[in-house]
Amino acid sequence: MAKAPPPIEAQVSALKERLFVMVEAERHRLDQAAKPLILDPELMRAAQTHSDDMAMKRSFDANNPNGNLAVNVLLSDPKFRGFVAENSAAQYFTPGAVIDPDVYARGFLAIWLNSPDHRMNLAYPAFDKTGIGIAVNGNAIYAAELFSTDLGLPEPP
């Protein structure tokens, strides 16, 4: 009897973890002076909100009349300060098949490295916080990764 695949939530969690590790390694390959990234809960929530929105609409923020939901969520917070950038992408898979975290993390990273703007986000050495969101709808996996730094700005009042 064939072993049942792990729940989709576990597969998505493994993909997030693998993507974080691969992005961190790639940043330091692109620029050895890049600060280490930490997973930030606020950025995680915003990235997940954005991924969920893309999956629900089967669309990227470029096609969303309201713009980039992840960035909008962060910028609407009066306590947010600094600089933020976002990478997003989608890949197709066979529903019911196991989502291999290595394969899909490499795929997202390749998409971002082949885009000058996304590559610049990966290479920006001052970023020190990140958040990753992944959502699945039908046969597509949507990923968003936010990068941020407070640029040394003081805490808002």
Side-chain angles (χ1 to χ4, degrees):
M1 191 157 140
K3 184 177 166 187
I8 192 72
E9 296 81 14
Q11 295 178 61
V12 165
S13 180
L15 176 53
K16 283 182 185 179
E17 290 173 23
R18 191 66 187 130
L19 187 56
F20 173 74
V21 169
M22 285 185 173
V23 164
E24 182 69 359
E26 187 63 29
R27 280 176 44 78
H28 294 283
R29 191 187 69 70
L30 293 169
D31 187 335
Q32 292 181 346
K35 291 182 177 179
L37 293 172
I38 61 165
L39 288 169
D40 179 82
E42 182 180 19
L43 295 177
M44 292 293 286
R45 279 190 300 277
Q48 190 60 54
T49 298
H50 184 45
S51 294
D52 291 342
D53 185 63
M54 289 188 298
M56 181 183 72
K57 294 176 179 171
R58 293 183 174 262
S59 175
F60 291 100
D61 53 271
N63 302 323
N64 186 341
N66 299 320
N68 183 314
L69 184 60
V71 173
N72 291 344
V73 166
L74 291 173
L75 296 180
S76 68
D77 179 354
K79 293 189 179 218
F80 181 79
R81 66 193 190 289
F83 179 62
V84 65
E86 177 262 355
N87 286 359
S88 60
Q91 295 184 70
Y92 295 101
F93 77 109
T94 302
V98 174
I99 297 171
D100 184 321
D102 285 326
V103 169
Y104 286 94
R106 273 195 305 272
F108 285 122
L109 189 55
I111 291 167
W112 294 338
L113 287 170
N114 287 319
S115 160
D117 290 341
H118 290 121
R119 184 184 186 94
M120 191 176 357
N121 292 342
L122 289 169
Y124 187 68
F127 287 138
D128 56 1
K129 293 181 266 186
T130 192
I132 299 171
I134 295 178
V136 175
N137 185 353
N139 66 341
I141 304 168
Y142 294 83
E145 183 162 10
L146 296 173
F147 303 94
S148 180
T149 177
D150 64 14
L151 298 171
L153 297 170
E155 192 73 32

